Amino acid sequence: MILHVSHSPTLADLFADYRRAQGMEDRNAVAERIVATIFSPLSLFISLRRGIDPNKVPDVLMVTLTAIFGAIPVFQGTTHSEAWSYCYRIAFNKAMNAIRKDIANPVITVPDDILWALVEASAADRPFALGEREDIDVLMKRLKVVKPPCVDYLLMHYFVGLSYEQMGDMLDMTTENVGATVRRCLKLARGLGENL
Amino acid sequence: MAEDQSSDDAKLKLLGQRVREGWAKLHAPTAEHLQAVRVIVREQTEREQAVAKKSLQKNG
């Protein structure tokens, strides 16, 4: 049995535990912890890919999880960030494959009502601060008018929570370049928002 | 101007945190996804056990 008692394990720790686990029972136990850690962030990431058919998200998630677990035994990274980058890179490629197949019929994803439903769900545990709801309303209106690819950068960085480094790794860009692009897109969103 | 940008950045980070929290509440792993992972785990473990057994037979 592999235990981490001093702190909550990082994703890289969980991958290492998975590789070390002997026997099906131990390995399944670690696998479930990995799924519990990565499922929600990856499903959000895939759902926010522009052009993906929402009906295909569960299938893309399925092939993503299968690919991730298939390659954990040979995963070379040792840090939390490397482990996450590895997962997002696989999810990105699988989502792109699904989008390419649907390219003739691109679907606009994550409408306002869905975003609001997520925000309201979070407010059940963490009530809104004074004025926060109004701020969110303004931000959502701005995001709605930002065109691709800027909106993609903003959603990946702010909503999915990817670091510049992780985005750079996934998109084959330097960290500095990603940072500059996100800042430019943020400025653009503010500029467009002023005309609303 | 730089102040506006930094305030937008902070507000978007807060909004992002809410989106992730809400998403996690509404999107838990499904039985189908967990089952697919169990299949991979079983295949991997069986493959490794077969290799270990072969190597044991070879060496001794």
Side-chain angles (χ1 to χ4, degrees), chain A residues 18 27 32 39-40 43-44 47 58 62 66 69 118 121-122 125-127 132 142 158-159 183 186 190, chain B residues 4-5 8-9 11-12 16 18 20-25 27-29 33 36 38 40-42 44-45 48:
Chain A
Y18 182 84
R27 200 169 256 190
E32 279 182 25
F39 187 88
S40 169
S43 68
L44 176 62
S47 300
M62 187 79 88
T66 306
F69 275 90
L118 299 176
S122 83
D125 290 337
R126 200 160 53 87
E132 190 181 352
R142 282 186 195 166
Y158 291 106
F159 283 15
R183 285 189 292 276
L186 197 56
R190 165 166 278 275
Chain B
D4 288 344
Q5 183 122 347
D8 285 349
D9 177 76
K11 284 175 184 171
L12 269 168
R18 286 204 177 277
R20 289 192 293 280
E21 284 170 9
W23 188 270
K25 273 188 155 191
H27 296 83
H33 288 108
R38 279 193 204 105
I40 289 283
V41 171
R42 193 183 64 234
Q44 261 174 11
T45 310
E48 285 169 13

Side-chain angles (χ1 to χ4, degrees), chain A:
Chain A
M1 179 69 74
I2 298 155
L3 289 175
H4 283 274
V5 287
S6 59
H7 59 90
S8 163
T10 67
L11 188 57
D13 290 336
L14 288 173
F15 281 1
D17 284 353
Y18 182 84
R19 283 193 297 271
R20 281 194 297 263
Q22 298 292 319
M24 206 93 80
E25 204 178 310
D26 272 2
R27 200 169 256 190
N28 267 325
V30 184
E32 279 182 25
R33 294 181 71 189
I34 293 173
V35 173
T37 305
I38 66 177
F39 187 88
S40 169
L42 291 183
S43 68
L44 176 62
F45 173 78
I46 292 166
S47 300
L48 288 177
R49 293 307 306 161
R50 178 167 40 92
I52 198 152
D53 178 347
N55 296 318
K56 293 203 171 161
V57 170
D59 287 346
V60 174
L61 199 46
M62 187 79 88
V63 293
T64 298
L65 287 174
T66 306
I68 287 170
F69 275 90
I72 291 177
V74 293
F75 172 69
Q76 303 277 325
T78 53
T79 68
H80 188 60
S81 180
E82 283 170 340
W84 275 108
S85 286
Y86 158 79
C87 292
Y88 281 118
R89 216 167 32 238
I90 290 177
F92 178 78
N93 290 333
K94 299 298 178 192
M96 290 309 284
N97 287 344
I99 292 166
R100 272 188 211 114
K101 286 173 195 159
D102 280 346
I103 204 79
N105 186 25
V107 180
I108 305 297
T109 55
V110 204
D112 282 1
D113 55 341
I114 293 181
L115 283 178
W116 270 113
L118 299 176
V119 168
E120 296 289 353
S122 83
D125 290 337
R126 200 160 53 87
F128 291 114
L130 194 67
E132 190 181 352
R133 196 185 276 274
E134 290 73 20
D135 284 345
I136 292 173
D137 196 42
V138 169
L139 291 171
M140 285 199 187
K141 279 179 183 150
R142 282 186 195 166
L143 285 173
K144 212 171 170 180
V145 292
V146 179
K147 297 271 183 289
C150 256
V151 68
D152 303 325
Y153 283 97
L154 295 177
L155 293 182
M156 289 303 109
H157 181 58
Y158 291 106
F159 283 15
V160 180
L162 294 181
S163 66
Y164 294 159
E165 189 186 1
Q166 288 170 329
M167 288 170 71
D169 188 45
M170 195 174 64
L171 301 169
D172 207 15
M173 291 166 69
T174 65
T175 303
E176 294 72 25
N177 200 350
V178 173
T181 307
V182 169
R183 285 189 292 276
R184 181 175 57 78
C185 292
L186 197 56
K187 198 173 167 186
L188 179 75
R190 165 166 278 275
L192 289 168
E194 279 166 4
N195 300 323
L196 290 174

Side-chain angles (χ1 to χ4, degrees), chain B residues 31-51:
Chain B
E32 288 79 16
H33 288 108
L34 284 170
Q35 184 53 32
V37 168
R38 279 193 204 105
V39 169
I40 289 283
V41 171
R42 193 183 64 234
E43 286 171 359
Q44 261 174 11
T45 310
E46 285 172 354
R47 212 166 32 238
E48 285 169 13
Q49 284 170 347
V51 169

